[in-house]
Amino acid sequence: MRKGELTRAAILDVALDLASRDGLEGLTIGLLADKMNMSKSGVFAHFGSREDLQMEVLKLYHHRFEQEVFFPSVKEARGLSRLKAMYARWIKRVSVEIASGCIYISGAVEYDDRPGPIREELVSMVRAWQGALLRCVEQTIECGDLKADTDASQMVYEMYGLILALHHDARFLRRPGSVDRARSGFERLIMNYQNPSKNQANQAQ
């Protein structure tokens, strides 16, 4: 990477840390310039506006989420193994973010009633992840690991609800054991939706 690209990448790293802590709306060119020991014009040279910076931070967050959660999980065989891998890696990432904050969740609070490009980008990213979860659940139904009458959308809704509850209880209430409860909740979901005949066959092997 050239010097300019390295500087831009370094700025984005710091900007992502700040946005995770203070929210996207708390991210300013001035604060970022202070953290980088740069002038405001130096930061502006890499990002034309504050909105451009916020958008790039969102894209970086989404990229890292995909690299840590989605892409490693899809290497697993289709079915329950892949679904469990997705949730396990999701839980692992959220556990790390308890100390800093999840931009998907904090961004939803910031932009739920604030129309504009940032909200649209954030919504498209969250929908893309929910869509990936939905496809995974549907494939798990198709391969027979889950009951044929499983409502895939409902199951994704419940999975997402567990993650939101985890973030709320662990980050806001500082409640011990929240991660374990989120894992237990998922296991109860699996038990509820799992195909009994497929489960018995696996136990017999």
Side-chain angles (χ1 to χ4, degrees), residues 136-171:
C136 187
V137 173
E138 290 171 342
Q139 290 167 357
T140 308
I141 297 169
E142 290 167 5
C143 72
D145 286 343
L146 298 178
K147 297 174 186 176
D149 62 352
T150 296
D151 185 335
S153 296
Q154 180 65 29
M155 187 171 184
V156 171
Y157 183 89
E158 292 171 13
M159 289 170 62
Y160 220 89
L162 287 170
I163 294 295
L164 292 176
L166 165 60
H167 193 271
H168 178 274
D169 280 22
R171 184 165 166 77

Side-chain angles (χ1 to χ4, degrees), residues 168-182:
H168 178 274
D169 280 22
R171 184 165 166 77
F172 180 58
L173 299 180
R174 301 287 195 269
R175 181 168 288 161
S178 298
V179 172
D180 290 336
R181 289 187 180 278

Side-chain angles (χ1 to χ4, degrees), residues 7 23 37 78 112-113 116 137 156 173-174 185 188 194:
T7 301
N37 292 318
R78 286 189 179 189
D112 60 347
D113 60 352
V137 173
V156 171
L173 299 180
R174 301 287 195 269
R188 288 171 64 87
Q194 193 166 8

Side-chain angles (χ1 to χ4, degrees), residues 8 12 27 29 44 46-59 117-118:
R8 189 176 189 277
L12 276 176
L27 183 60
I29 296 293
F44 268 119
H46 295 276
F47 306 96
S49 68
R50 177 169 172 261
E51 187 174 273
D52 289 342
L53 172 63
Q54 291 170 319
M55 193 73 77
E56 290 303 312
V57 167
L58 260 182
K59 290 177 180 177
I118 301 296

Side-chain angles (χ1 to χ4, degrees), residues 45 52 61 77 98 103-104 154 167 179 182 203:
D52 289 342
Y61 180 84
I98 287 171
I103 287 183
Y104 285 161
Q154 180 65 29
H167 193 271
V179 172
Q203 290 176 352

Side-chain angles (χ1 to χ4, degrees), residues 180-194:
D180 290 336
R181 289 187 180 278
R183 290 193 177 110
S184 296
F186 180 68
E187 289 303 318
R188 288 171 64 87
L189 270 184
I190 295 298
M191 289 173 61
N192 182 53
Y193 289 112
Q194 193 166 8

